[in-house]
Structures are given as structure tokens and as C-alpha cells.
Amino acid sequence: MRFLLSRHLAQFVAIYDKGSLRAASEVLNVSQPALSKSLSQFEMLLDVKLFDRTGGRLNPTPFADILRTKANIILKEAEITTREIEKIKQNYYKPLTGSAGPVWLSEILPDVLPSLYHQFPGLNIGIKLESADIAIPKVLNGDSDMYFGLIPAGELAHGLSAIPLLNLESMLFARRSHPIHALPANERAASLCNYPWSAFGIWEGAINISMKENLQRKGIPFSGFTYGIESLLGLARIGQQTDHIIMSVDAVSETFAHYDLIPVEAISLNQTFSSGMVCRTSLTDFEPVNYLLEALRTRYNQP
């Protein structure tokens, strides 16, 4: 099959999504005859029929359905290539978009983003808070460039790469004046059921039950989370002002210490999570991304 022209492909996406040449031409600001001619050229390039023209309507063929599922990724790869060309010509980078889990967003990425800026001052990057189950499909579909956070178990879809960068260990925290710290070490685990628990996220029904069973298998009493809050700062403030037991990970220890939260010693959850970056495989060839990965490896002593 001959090469795909990004202009033709972008026009095809508009026609497919809008369902008609007229609607697509309005979105693209191209005349309807010109768009019809471009579509015919694209079909000739591919040597397939993309739409059946019946009664003034355009009905996608199976070829069009397949192409649409891949179009975002193809266009994204073309955009990445364009970024590299722009960099060579103008030392300028188009924006990268991504998302991250809460620990990465508030604790890990801020350690390395300043050096990324100094190395590539023309680079714009936008990273928002999202969980892996929402973020990774966006990367696969070409709607996002990368995701930083917990790496899901099992194989990723073809075309995606998971790059482990550090392990996160589950820990329990409580304010320094919390009664649990005054107990003998061998009595702390049994006393956990006397206090409310909080953690990041929304902990509902089955999740509470699953967590309860998991902790009880390890001999740790747990009656459920009182608060599930999608803010590490919010968790810290709750722990600072109440007797809540806060479940989080070791990477937040320094920040929690500013709010007088310290680990509950002598209690191990024995739970470690692999975390890092998930992106399209080709993105690892993009110079700023390579630099960011190396900076993270250096910061966290990863090979």
C-alpha cells in the first residue's frame, strides 16, 4: 500500500465522524467539491472504496471502519515526526500532553521538570491528574502522549511501551501526636481497628471489601475507609487534624512530614507497586522524552 498523506487522512476522519461531505467541509473550511475530489484521490491511493454513496448519504465500508480505528495513532505519529523536523529547523517543540497518578504529579515529576525546561526551553508540556484505566486507552488512541503512574499487570496493547522507573511501597501514616505511636510495637497492628482510615481515591463497596480481605490476610484489622479523597494535600490535612490512619506510599513521606504525619512503625503492608511511564513505543525516540526518562532514572538510581 502506498503512503498515507496526513492531509487526506485528516479529511477522511472529518468525513467519517460527521457522516457527510457537507458537514465535513464546514468543519475543515474546504469547499464540498474540493473535499469530494480529495476523497476520491485518497481512495485511489489506498486502492479501496471507503464509502458507499447511496441516496446522498455516505456509508462507511469495512475498510473505512478499520482505517478510522487507526487514524488517530497515524496522525499522532505524523505529528511527532513533525515535531522533530520543527526542532531541527527552529529549535522549537510543539506541546506534549499527558497524565499522571497523584504521587507522580505532586511528588516525582516536580523533581525533574525544571531540568527538562532548562534543557528544552521551547517545549510546552501539559500533564493532568488521571488514573491508569482512563489514561492508557487515551495514549493507545492517540489522544494523549504519555502516562506516568502505576504500571498495570499483564501485556499492553501492541504499539505501547511500559517503562518501569521506580517501585512504590504502601505505608500507613498518622500524625505525630496520634495515640498509636505511644503503643508498644507489638500492639499497634491490633489497635488499627480503633481508628478511621483514609486513602487517595474513591473507596466504595467492593473496593472496601477487597481491601479488608487483603489486609486481614496479613493480620491487619481493617473496617473500611472513612474518607476517600482525590487529593494528597487533602489527605495530609485530614491526618494532621484528626486521628485518621492515612494509607499512601513511601514517596509522599517527605511531604507528609511537613504536615507532621509520620509512618506508623512496626507495621508492614508488604505491598509494592511498579510505576513508571506508559507511552507509544515510537515516542521514546523523541529527544525531550528520552531526556526526561534519563533524568528520572538518575534521580531514583534506576539502571
Side-chain angles (χ1 to χ4, degrees), residues 160-289:
L160 294 185
S161 290
I163 304 163
L165 293 166
L166 70 154
N167 291 325
L168 301 175
E169 182 180 353
S170 289
M171 296 180 67
L172 299 180
F173 297 84
R175 61 180 175 176
R176 193 178 302 274
S177 60
H178 198 291
I180 198 169
H181 298 303
L183 293 174
N186 61 353
E187 296 180 15
R188 291 175 189 167
S191 73
L192 288 171
C193 60
N194 298 327
Y195 305 103
W197 287 43
S198 293
F200 185 90
I202 305 300
W203 300 90
E204 299 175 343
I207 300 178
N208 258 324
I209 294 171
S210 175
M211 182 65 70
K212 181 177 181 179
E213 292 174 348
N214 181 46
L215 292 174
Q216 287 181 342
R217 282 196 298 269
K218 298 173 182 177
I220 299 175
F222 173 74
S223 58
F225 289 106
T226 303
Y227 291 156
I229 299 177
E230 294 188 324
S231 165
L232 290 176
L233 176 59
L235 279 180
R237 295 292 296 274
I238 288 171
Q240 181 187 40
Q241 300 176 53
T242 70
D243 279 343
H244 274 72
I245 301 295
I246 307 296
M247 177 184 283
S248 192
V249 293
D250 53 348
V252 305
S253 297
E254 185 175 331
T255 295
F256 274 13
H258 292 306
Y259 293 87
D260 215 26
L261 297 181
I262 61 175
V264 180
E265 302 291 347
I267 296 178
S268 174
L269 300 181
N270 297 316
Q271 196 169 30
T272 302
F273 305 97
S274 176
S275 70
M277 185 177 84
V278 175
C279 66
R280 292 183 312 284
T281 302
S282 60
L283 192 63
T284 57
D285 294 328
F286 189 40
E287 188 178 356
V289 173

Side-chain angles (χ1 to χ4, degrees), residues 121-136:
L123 175 68
N124 293 325
I125 183 168
I127 302 175
K128 64 180 179 179
L129 178 65
E130 275 185 335
S131 59
D133 59 329
I134 295 174
I136 292 177

